[in-house]
């Protein structure tokens, strides 16, 4: 096992824990698979479990220093408001195909009202927000058409971010939100 490979896998454990996406079993499986690929002669699940536990302890220690209300709390409020107004929010999905499938599944309605659009971002977008303090979010109309500068849906969503104290702007087809993904974790084992 090289130091670099171990560092990269430990960093993946850190990102998986801090994102809080998926279930503990999903995170364990994802890291164990990465261990088996990078270190084929190691016990993938044993190392993954140990590194996830260490990452969880480190995150719990760090979160004690966070403000009472984090950017993640503000993001959650934005996403709740979007959902309440007919914009489906998909957190940490795999790719645009998953967003498209969700639009098709919804069939034009969401929460017993017309579907206005879908707001989505990937797991790697979350990882970027953990480390760099910027979450990039995609916004589509219910037709899968990208939001464009000046359209009503984009203005409504940008206004929602602003109302919840988050700086957001549209750049190169995505909404860039100045936010650190500081999602509080609780022991899951």
């Amino acid at each position: 096992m090289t130091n670099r490979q171990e560092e990269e896998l430990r960093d993946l454990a850190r990102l998986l824990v801090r994102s809080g996406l998926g279930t503990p079993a999903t995170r364990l499986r994802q890291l164990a698979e990465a261990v088996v690929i990078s270190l084929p002669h190691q016990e993938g699940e044993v190392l993954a479990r140990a590194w996830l536990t260490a990452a969880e302890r480190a995150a719990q220690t760090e979160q004690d220093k966070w403000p009472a209300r984090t950017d993640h709390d503000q993001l959650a409020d934005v996403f709740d408001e979007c959902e309440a107004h007919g914009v489906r929010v998909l957190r940490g999905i795999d790719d645009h195909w998953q967003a498209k499938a969700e639009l098709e599944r919804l069939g034009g309605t969401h929460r017993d009202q017309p579907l206005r659009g879908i707001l989505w971002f990937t797991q790697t977008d979350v990882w970027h927000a953990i480390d760099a303090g910027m979450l990039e979010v995609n916004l589509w109309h219910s037709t899968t058409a990208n939001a464009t500068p000046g359209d009503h849906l984009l203005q409504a969503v940008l206004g929602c971010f602003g109302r919840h104290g988050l700086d957001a702007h549209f750049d190169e087809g995505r909404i860039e939100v100045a936010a650190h993904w500081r999602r509080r974790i609780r022991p899951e084992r």
Side-chain angles (χ1 to χ4, degrees):
M1 172 177 354
T2 69
N3 286 339
R4 180 183 166 112
Q5 288 171 314
E6 181 178 339
E7 285 175 24
E8 289 173 357
L9 291 165
R10 284 179 180 268
D11 192 52
L12 177 57
R14 177 184 67 86
L15 293 169
L16 290 169
V17 165
R18 289 170 190 250
S19 73
L21 300 170
T23 65
T26 302
R27 292 190 291 270
L28 176 61
R29 185 177 64 251
Q30 189 173 356
L31 185 58
E33 288 172 1
V35 170
V36 168
I37 290 168
S38 296
L39 308 169
H41 301 294
Q42 299 292 324
E43 291 290 329
E45 190 168 327
V46 172
L47 283 176
R49 191 175 305 280
W51 290 339
L52 287 169
T53 299
E56 189 176 280
R57 286 185 188 133
Q60 288 171 338
T61 298
E62 183 182 310
Q63 74 187 18
D64 291 341
K65 300 172 191 161
W66 293 349
R69 184 160 172 74
T70 67
D71 292 350
H72 182 271
D73 297 325
Q74 292 168 277
L75 286 166
D77 290 344
V78 169
F79 300 152
D80 288 347
E81 185 176 331
C82 285
E83 291 270 355
H85 290 99
V87 177
R88 177 77 169 97
V89 179
L90 301 177
R91 298 162 178 89
I93 64 172
D94 293 334
D95 54 31
H96 71 281
W97 295 110
Q98 196 172 352
K100 186 176 185 296
E102 178 67 1
L103 281 173
E104 291 169 359
R105 186 191 72 75
L106 290 170
T109 61
H110 180 56
R111 293 189 174 179
D112 298 324
Q113 62 181 326
L115 178 67
R116 296 176 66 197
I118 192 166
L119 192 68
W120 62 274
F121 49 92
T122 67
Q123 183 178 45
T124 55
D125 293 324
V126 171
W127 296 350
H128 183 71
I130 289 168
D131 288 337
M134 197 255 296
L135 180 66
E136 292 186 39
V137 185
N138 296 283
L139 178 63
W140 289 355
H141 291 272
S142 61
T143 62
T144 72
N146 282 322
T148 57
D151 83 31
H152 181 65
L153 180 62
L154 176 60
Q155 295 311 311
V157 170
L158 288 174
C160 186
F161 281 110
R163 277 191 303 285
H164 291 280
L166 293 169
D167 180 39
H169 66 276
F170 191 72
D171 186 45
E172 297 182 13
R174 298 181 86 186
I175 298 171
E176 295 181 351
V177 185
H180 282 92
W181 189 273
R182 291 185 176 137
R183 180 178 178 168
R184 295 195 189 282
I185 63 162
R186 281 140 188 88
E188 300 186 50
R189 290 178 174 75

